Amino acid sequence: MSDQSASTPGRGTFGRARIRLGGAIPAPGDPTVVALYAITFLLVGIGLIMVLSASSITSYLDDQGFLGGFWRQATYALIGIPLMIFAATRPVAFWRRWAWWLFGLGLFLQLLVFTPLGVDVYGNRNWIQIGSFSAQPSEALKLALIVWIGAVLMSKERLLTQTKHELIPIVLPGALIALGTVMLGKDLGTTIIMGASVLGAMYFGGVSWKALGYTFAGAALAAFFFVVTSQNRMDRLFGHAGGNSDYSGLAWQPLHGLWALAGGGLFGVGLGGSKAKWKWLPAADNDYIFAIIGEELGMIGAVLVIVLFIVLTVLMLRVIGNARDRFGKAVVGGILVWIVGQAFVNIAVVIGILPVLGVPLPLISAGGTALIACLVAMGVVISIARDNAKHRDEIPTTEATR
């Protein structure tokens, strides 16, 4: 009897301890959240490998050693990944609460390009430089603008049956000011991506087709104006339409990009074996890194990258479908159009479908500000995905309690 009595409390104590420990151990992650982390890290990993290969020659010629470009990109990744995790672990209310402040900060940083801190890169004044540190404020402004649009749509939800409330202040003056400050620096490619992101946030945020139509029409007219008033843009457009016959001029980059892709064949020439990166292809580690992927990893490697962005699209659409409110749908929708849309614009430029626009391949191309901004944006998407999963898990618990 005494043995049985002694053993019973022991089993009970162990059972209670096991229950407590079980409660302390976090449940397995939501599959969508895990997949978003996995795809993001995989794309960044591919990017680091390809930046190492594509930048090795130019880094060596610039007296930075063969690994100069890689270490710089790896440093930005080591900064961006903790920021991504921080963003992913914030509650959705955090982003709504700070949306206006983030938008204001983004505009302030963008305006710095018009101060003595601003520098021109390839004719675009869209960078700031302090000593050896340089940054592209428009990358941070992209995310700030999208989050702000989501917060405004959420706060004006009851008024969105009226077109003027769908456009004010999102388009007028918000997006107009943000895109205008970028366009003043002559960076049409970034402005187009930002404009598409605004439309994406508005569409997924539930704005009417009428308001979307007005916004798209205004954006199209503005883009047409900025193209026809720039001789360089007109030359690039007509050169592309004419088959890029000016080999020694504006067609140099797109033609060498196509030749690099063609040289890779099905399986590629092998990692590190690119010929185009030997100063034949400008921006080999940046805007045209997809050409190096195709050359070294072949069509199989290029298709793999495309498939990863398609999977990312599916995952983000799932987050949008499960979002609890208009804010989550708008923010993830805007980021989807930004990151995936920019990826396919970049690829379309490299394979010759679009004229050169000067936008990098998100999460893969060299560029610290762009990488960090994209990682933080993915963190915001994961934050909303976690909120969706938490809400979904709370519903059965509430019903069981009833």
Side-chain angles (χ1 to χ4, degrees), residues 263-339:
L266 181 61
F267 299 104
V269 298
L271 193 61
S274 167
K275 296 181 179 66
K277 69 183 181 183
W278 288 76
K279 301 291 285 185
W280 288 104
L281 179 62
D285 62 339
N286 194 286
D287 295 354
Y288 269 74
I289 198 168
F290 187 76
I292 305 300
I293 293 173
E295 184 182 11
E296 296 191 347
L297 304 182
M299 188 176 74
I300 292 176
V303 170
L304 172 63
V305 170
I306 294 173
V307 168
L308 289 175
F309 279 108
I310 292 174
V311 173
L312 186 61
T313 301
V314 173
L315 291 171
M316 294 173 78
L317 287 173
R318 181 180 297 175
V319 176
I320 293 170
N322 294 331
R324 291 198 294 142
D325 53 36
R326 196 181 295 265
F327 174 83
K329 293 179 185 294
V331 172
V332 179
I335 294 173
L336 166 62
V337 174
W338 162 20
I339 293 180

